[in-house]
Amino acid sequence: MGGYGGGNGIEREYRRRKKPPRGWLLVMAFALGNFVLQMGRHFDALPTWLLACMAVLVLASVVWVTLFMSRGRTRVGPDGIAVRGAVFERKRSWHDIYDIRVEPTPRGGGPSARRHVTLLYGNDGRRLGLPHLDDWQLDDPHTEVADLLTAAARHRGMTWDRRPEVEARIRRRAGRRKAWERAWIGAVVVLLCMFAVLLGLIVVDGEAPVVLLLVCIPLASFVVLAALLNWRWESQVPRSLREPEPPPAVRRG
């Protein structure tokens, strides 16, 4: 299901060669089945546009995961790394790549999920996930990445030394990203709570302010949480990390 280059070469391709763990598939199937069951119980009471939006979201998620598992791959060559996702492909030249790191997933990823993923970091501090270069598809991603860095050193034209200014950009972007992620999680929790309130109001009164509960309140909560968490992060960033973004000429290395 997947082809991999020799350990001493730079030409490599990482793609799906193993199926997802059965436990992960069972959890996804249970969650989807429960969602369909809950929708069926209140099918007549919910607005048509809301049912249509939910159906589109579920279908889009299933299609995206299917496409990613079949099309997603990481190609490595003398010119750099090309990452293809469900639809788009992104390329990074070796001169634009600062480092490639194997990092643990948050909270270990659970018993049936990936525990480590591989991330590419650019000179501007941005990161890019490398599909299938993880412990789902590889027995030892740490050894594979170490070998890849060694093979790529001569194509990169420089060693993989750490640079303080790039490390600062990585830390700052990580803080901002965590703030946005927590804001999204909070908004989703609010959305689920509002959905429960919506169903309760429909059962009791036969009607409910759908737009207010499922659109306005979750969006407002996201805006408030994002602003609050980003402000909290920025207030904790030392002045030495508050440097401006590098100009394009510097980013190109």
Side-chain angles (χ1 to χ4, degrees), residues 176-195:
R176 288 177 174 175
R177 184 169 54 251
K178 182 62 66 176
W180 285 104
E181 289 174 355
R182 290 178 177 176
W184 276 114
I185 293 173
V188 170
V189 172
V190 172
L191 175 62
L192 294 176
C193 293
M194 292 301 100
F195 188 76

Side-chain angles (χ1 to χ4, degrees), residues 50-126:
L50 178 59
L51 292 171
C53 290
M54 291 182 174
V56 169
L57 288 175
V58 172
L59 179 61
S61 300
V62 173
V63 170
W64 185 89
V65 172
T66 303
L67 287 175
F68 180 81
M69 295 303 295
S70 61
R71 288 172 46 84
R73 62 194 60 192
T74 300
R75 289 195 182 95
V76 182
D79 297 331
I81 296 180
V83 175
R84 188 170 75 178
V87 179
F88 303 104
E89 182 173 278
R90 288 177 285 183
K91 298 180 180 180
R92 297 289 187 273
S93 68
W94 288 118
H95 292 291
D96 294 328
I97 297 174
Y98 169 69
D99 199 5
I100 302 174
R101 301 175 182 177
V102 179
E103 299 183 358
T105 56
R107 296 174 296 279
S112 300
R114 298 174 299 176
R115 290 178 172 81
H116 291 87
V117 295
T118 302
L119 301 172
L120 178 158
Y121 287 94
N123 293 315
D124 58 357
R126 297 180 186 274

Side-chain angles (χ1 to χ4, degrees), residues 1 7-8 15 63 65 142 169-170 191 199 221 244 247:
M1 301 298 290
N8 296 323
R15 54 178 172 165
V63 170
V65 172
H142 292 85
R169 295 178 198 134
I170 291 175
L191 175 62
L199 294 180
S221 67

Side-chain angles (χ1 to χ4, degrees), residues 4 19 79 87 100 157 163 165 175:
Y4 296 85
K19 295 181 178 180
D79 297 331
V87 179
I100 302 174
R163 303 201 300 272
E165 70 278 7

Side-chain angles (χ1 to χ4, degrees), residues 159-174:
T159 60
W160 296 97
D161 295 330
R162 298 290 176 89
R163 303 201 300 272
E165 70 278 7
V166 181
E167 293 295 328
R169 295 178 198 134
I170 291 175
R171 289 194 298 272
R172 191 175 188 193
R173 287 190 180 278

